[in-house]
Amino acid sequence: MIYLSDIIKTEVIPAMGISALRFHYGYAEELNKTLNQMENNKQSFIWLVQPFTFEVDGKILAGTAKDVRFVIFGASDQDYTTSTRIEKVFKPLIDPLYDSFMNALKNCAWFEKTGFEHEVTDFSYWNDNQLDDVMDLRNITKLNLKIRKNICKL
């Protein structure tokens, strides 16, 4: 079985060339635990939200990961206004991470080169009331990734 989380962790994130970037995956409860474990060391990271559906092709493809959701988190400050968040978090941090991540996905040999349509929602001042801190984030939704069975790396 091919795991999307393994492809992202071993192929996509390293291709972005950002050594300090963290990647996590799991359910919302795990996200809360992970954020709380980070304490004062809340750096930017990408989260693969589970669950998602894996439609098995049985032919050339291993299958399609359907309605995949990724979240790009950026550490912020609870006293920032929305305009400050855009200037200090989204433009210099989240936007470049998003561009780099999407390019790395598109260039990953495991994925078919079509079908990267998706939706994006930005959240400034995100807090789920279980955290002591605030994060700004970009929510990437409705992404379908066609995963190949075998790849040949040159």
Side-chain angles (χ1 to χ4, degrees):
M1 180 77 173
I2 297 170
Y3 289 91
L4 179 58
S5 55
D6 288 342
I7 295 171
I8 302 300
K9 180 173 49 178
T10 62
E11 301 288 331
V12 175
I13 297 296
M16 293 173 67
I18 306 168
S19 60
L21 182 63
R22 297 178 187 184
F23 170 70
H24 302 281
Y25 56 93
Y27 293 85
E29 298 81 18
E30 292 177 75
L31 171 60
N32 291 331
K33 287 179 186 174
T34 300
L35 287 170
N36 284 324
Q37 288 171 354
M38 288 182 182
E39 296 282 330
N40 295 327
N41 193 18
K42 288 188 173 58
Q43 298 174 343
S44 300
F45 66 97
I46 296 176
W47 186 274
L48 168 61
V49 181
Q50 293 181 323
F52 57 85
T53 300
F54 192 76
E55 183 180 84
V56 179
D57 174 277
K59 298 176 186 168
I60 296 171
L61 299 175
T64 302
K66 300 187 84 157
D67 294 323
V68 176
R69 180 176 160 209
F70 290 98
V71 183
I72 300 173
F73 287 87
S76 193
D77 186 301
Q78 66 185 26
D79 295 326
Y80 284 173
T81 63
T82 300
S83 60
T84 303
R85 290 171 185 287
I86 290 169
E87 295 302 321
K88 290 193 172 193
V89 182
F90 280 93
K91 286 182 179 179
L93 183 65
I94 292 178
D95 289 349
L97 284 175
Y98 167 77
D99 291 340
S100 179
F101 181 66
M102 293 310 297
N103 283 332
L105 279 176
K106 290 175 185 175
N107 291 319
C108 180
W110 282 100
F111 302 122
E112 288 291 311
K113 301 303 177 207
T114 60
F116 287 93
E117 296 83 13
H118 58 282
E119 293 182 6
V120 171
T121 306
D122 288 344
F123 292 87
S124 55
Y125 198 90
W126 178 81
N127 186 316
D128 70 353
N129 295 322
Q130 296 181 17
L131 303 172
D132 296 331
D133 211 347
V134 173
M135 304 286 284
D136 293 329
L137 63 92
R138 174 159 295 155
N139 193 18
I140 303 166
T141 58
K142 298 183 181 178
L143 178 63
N144 296 325
L145 297 170
K146 295 178 181 179
I147 302 172
R148 297 176 177 167
K149 277 186 180 178
N150 298 304
I151 62 166
C152 178
K153 290 187 178 183
L154 299 174

